[in-house]
Amino acid sequence: MAAHLYIAVLLSAFVLSCLASPFAIRLAFKIGAVDRPEQRKVHTQPMPRMGGMAIFLSFLVCLLFILKVSGPFTGLIYGACIIFLVGLLDDIFQLSAWIKLLGQIAAAAVAVHFGVVVHFVTNPFNGALDLGFLSIPLTLLWIVGISNAINLIDGLDGLAAGVSAIAATTMGIIALIKGQPEFAAVTFTLVAAIVGFLPFNFYPARTFMGDSGSNFLGFTLGCLAIIGTAKSAALISLFIPIVILAIPIFDTFFAIIRRMHNKAPIFLPDRDHLHHRLMALGMSHRRSVLIIYGISAFFSAVAVVITFISSSKANVMLALLLLLVVLAAYKIGLLSGEERQTSTRVEGHTRNVEL
């Protein structure tokens, strides 16, 4: 496809998302997909929570113009439809956690069936490690894990959408560097759809993206990370998706460590995620989001850099980065959690007030 047609598709994704967002807001009120005020929540007015429909529809429609759908991308599209519908039902009817998990697994299984599979991982000391029979379960774990990780960081207006846009942009840049224009077009189409929605979701939000949006974005990013890596022979490239998605991955990992440390159920929601900790330090709602955008952009820059350097240098950089992340997490209380005065949204369901 000619470059000007790609640009037209990107603009179309942006415009469609802009136009679909008000429609999604009105529809949410009509069908009851609304987050209503209650004692544990801070917002004082009902908030529509299916804004993710705008991202999903604009991305899907435009994707069909730039792709001859086959192979892994077939799994991406079918799986995205499944996980979006499960999220939409949750936005309307508040499904149980187990039903949502089964829906996520079903969507991931469809993607795996069509070839979205991790076949090997990087062994930093001795080349690649073939996963063999573990490839399918680990792929399912990755896709479901990223889907939930994006949902967990959807705690402040515009946070999950912005971090997802930064991650997708980075995947697109690396794809261009590696000579994968079609894959880059897919990721940039997702970015355009997110950016069209973001003005309606950034603080103060007019709509939440809901589970339909956060799960769709997590699923799509998880699948794109696998598809993009599968096209590269460079072993160090297998670390790149982890670096790009470092914010949701480490935030989820530290949540598990924190809950184990506090002898709390692993799946019990808490208010000690990164965005909560920043607000506990006195950051405003808007500033907390912008700071996390900056951190995400930093990780993305590191991901781009390691595509240009040798594996040995990249390993050293990644080790230093990991040390920095752990020290920073310990410093602000991500590993243990602390009592705070601020009241924040709990994992994708409640919004905060400006501090």
Side-chain angles (χ1 to χ4, degrees):
M1 184 183 293
H4 68 278
L5 293 178
Y6 279 125
I7 294 174
V9 169
L10 298 184
L11 290 175
S12 297
F14 172 78
V15 172
L16 282 174
S17 186
C18 288
L19 295 176
S21 293
F23 169 78
I25 292 173
R26 292 193 295 270
L27 182 61
F29 281 116
K30 287 183 178 180
I31 65 177
V34 176
D35 205 342
R36 300 188 182 281
E38 59 182 58
Q39 185 175 1
R40 70 180 181 85
K41 300 179 180 180
V42 181
H43 59 278
T44 57
Q45 296 180 344
M47 286 290 292
R49 60 178 177 216
M50 52 182 281
M53 174 183 287
I55 303 174
F56 169 76
L57 291 177
S58 57
F59 174 69
L60 184 64
V61 169
C62 292
L63 192 63
L64 297 177
F65 280 96
I66 61 176
L67 279 181
K68 293 180 179 178
V69 181
S70 62
F73 285 112
T74 304
L76 170 64
I77 291 175
Y78 288 166
C81 290
I82 292 172
I83 205 164
F84 170 76
L85 289 175
V86 171
L88 184 62
L89 290 174
D90 182 55
D91 290 336
I92 300 171
F93 302 110
Q94 294 290 280
L95 304 178
S96 72
W98 289 109
I99 292 178
K100 288 189 288 184
L101 179 60
L102 288 175
Q104 292 170 343
I105 293 173
V110 168
V112 168
H113 174 73
F114 285 97
V116 183
V117 180
V118 179
H119 293 288
F120 62 95
V121 295
T122 299
N123 178 349
F125 303 105
N126 189 28
L129 177 63
D130 193 326
L131 293 175
F133 69 92
L134 292 176
S135 61
I136 291 179
L138 287 178
T139 301
L140 292 173
L141 180 63
W142 167 264
I143 296 174
V144 172
I146 297 300
S147 299
N148 283 286
I150 296 297
N151 179 259
L152 290 180
I153 67 166
D154 186 24
L156 297 178
D157 297 348
L159 180 56
V163 169
S164 297
I166 293 169
T169 299
T170 309
M171 291 182 188
I173 292 171
I174 293 175
L176 290 177
I177 293 171
K178 293 179 177 180
Q180 302 170 7
E182 183 179 65
F183 180 81
V186 173
T187 61
F188 290 141
T189 300
L190 180 62
V191 174
I194 296 172
V195 172
F197 165 75
L198 201 51
F200 300 89
N201 184 235
F202 196 75
Y203 185 85
R206 292 173 53 190
T207 180
F208 300 161
M209 72 163 61
D211 277 14
S212 58
S214 60
N215 279 280
F216 162 70
L217 286 178
F219 172 86
T220 303
L221 290 172
C223 289
L224 288 175
I226 295 172
I227 295 170
T229 300
K231 294 178 177 293
S232 174
L235 295 179
I236 196 63
S237 69
L238 299 175
F239 281 125
I240 291 176
I242 298 176
V243 177
I244 293 173
L245 296 167
I247 290 290
I249 288 174
F250 281 113
D251 193 47
T252 302
F253 176 73
F254 290 142
I256 295 173
I257 298 298
R258 180 173 62 249
R259 291 164 191 174
M260 292 175 64
H261 172 78
N262 294 328
K263 296 181 174 56
I266 291 178
F267 297 105
L268 181 69
D270 64 24
R271 299 188 178 190
D272 283 297
H273 290 287
L274 176 58
H275 49 280
H276 299 133
R277 300 308 308 161
L278 289 177
M279 298 190 75
L281 294 173
M283 304 297 176
S284 68
H285 190 134
R286 186 188 301 269
R287 180 172 295 182
S288 297
V289 172
L290 294 176
I291 288 174
I292 297 176
Y293 282 1
I295 297 172
S296 184
F298 168 74
F299 283 123
S300 293
V302 171
V304 173
V305 168
I306 64 177
T307 63
F308 291 100
I309 61 180
S310 65
S311 294
S312 59
K313 292 180 179 178
N315 286 333
V316 172
M317 179 178 288
L318 291 172
L320 292 174
L321 184 63
L322 179 60
L323 178 62
L324 177 63
V325 168
V326 173
L327 289 176
Y330 175 79
K331 183 71 175 177
I332 66 174
L334 277 176
L335 294 175
S336 59
E338 297 175 2
E339 291 297 324
R340 302 173 316 288
Q341 298 301 316
T342 1
S343 176
T344 52
R345 177 187 175 200
V346 178
E347 297 184 356
H349 295 289
T350 310
R351 281 291 188 256
N352 202 306
V353 291
E354 183 75 37
L355 297 180

